[in-house]
């Protein structure tokens, strides 16, 4: 083998080397990652699709109580706890919900929006944008890539063949490159 021979480099990469995890373990980790990312993609697509297809109706509600809630907020300087004002609203049919609002006062009547799914909001939420759809598509593509990588990792271990011979390439008997 000459130094810089591409076939020698390919053979060296496909050999089992000490210090690396077994192919079965690598394939299992990749498969687990594909399953987790695929599950997250399904949940994300379901949530984004539900927001995209939701319709809202305006309903009149009475503001009956006021409170606050802590929420973790992150910005470029780090994360911190922030306190938000929350009001409890009661609809005409007796349904109660809590919404975040700085403008609504206890005792007054206000127009709130109820979605087809039953959630109540102070304003109509924006529909999902192209970035949210792209993140969902990226999660699906990432899960597929991890699944393919998992299968391609385990196949040489099961068949006993290296990736080079599996693709139809065999070792060349020639040790020197051809002259042109």
């Amino acid at each position: 083998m000459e130094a810089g021979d591409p076939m020698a480099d390919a053979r060296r990469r496909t050999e089992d080397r000490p210090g690396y995890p077994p192919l079965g373990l690598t394939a299992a980790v990749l498969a687990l990652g594909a399953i987790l990312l695929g599950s997250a993609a399904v949940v994300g697509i379901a949530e984004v699709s539900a927001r995209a297809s939701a319709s809202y109706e305006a309903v009149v509600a009475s503001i009956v109580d006021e409170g606050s809630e802590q929420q973790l907020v992150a910005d470029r300087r780090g994360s911190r706890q922030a306190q938000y004002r929350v009001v409890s609203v009661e609809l005409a049919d007796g349904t109660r919900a809590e919404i975040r609002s700085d403008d609504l006062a206890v005792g007054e009547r206000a127009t709130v929006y109820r979605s087809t799914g039953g959630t109540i909001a102070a304003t109509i939420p924006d529909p999902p944008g192209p970035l949210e759809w792209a993140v969902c598509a990226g999660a699906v593509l990432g899960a597929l890539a991890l699944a393919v990588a998992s299968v391609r990792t385990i196949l040489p271990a099961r068949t006993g063949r290296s990736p080079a011979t599996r693709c139809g390439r065999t070792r060349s008997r020639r040790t020197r490159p051809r002259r042109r």
Side-chain angles (χ1 to χ4, degrees):
M1 286 192 300
E2 290 184 20
D5 182 16
M7 288 301 291
D9 292 340
R11 280 191 299 272
R12 194 170 340 137
R13 282 194 300 261
T14 60
E15 295 171 0
D16 288 335
R17 293 182 284 174
Y20 287 93
L23 291 178
L25 179 63
T26 302
V29 169
L30 289 172
L32 180 64
I35 291 168
L36 292 175
L37 189 58
S39 300
V42 167
V43 169
I45 290 171
E47 191 270 329
V48 170
S49 298
R51 281 187 31 222
S53 64
S55 61
Y56 293 90
E57 66 173 322
V59 292
V60 177
S62 300
I63 289 69
V64 293
D65 195 16
E66 173 181 342
S68 63
E69 71 177 17
Q70 294 270 339
Q71 188 170 4
L72 186 64
V73 177
D75 57 10
R76 61 184 170 172
R77 289 180 281 170
S79 58
R80 59 182 167 78
Q81 290 286 330
Q83 207 161 18
Y84 291 99
R85 182 174 180 265
V86 177
V87 294
S88 294
V89 295
E90 186 173 336
L91 304 178
D93 62 358
T95 305
R96 285 188 135 193
E98 290 187 346
I99 57 174
R100 187 185 303 175
S101 174
D102 291 331
D103 303 331
L104 301 176
V106 175
E108 71 179 27
R109 297 182 64 76
T111 302
V112 294
Y113 300 92
R114 182 179 7 201
S115 74
T116 53
T119 59
I120 298 173
T123 60
I124 297 176
D126 294 330
L131 180 63
E132 291 171 287
W133 288 109
V135 167
C136 291
V140 169
L141 292 175
L144 288 174
L146 285 175
V148 167
S150 172
V151 169
R152 287 185 54 92
T153 301
I154 197 65
L155 279 181
R158 283 197 173 170
T159 60
R161 297 185 303 169
S162 71
T165 58
R166 192 178 61 222
C167 295
R169 288 182 256 143
T170 58
R171 292 184 184 178
S172 173
R173 293 178 189 231
R174 186 178 309 264
T175 58
R176 290 182 291 160
R178 290 185 188 180
R179 291 185 185 174
R180 292 185 184 205

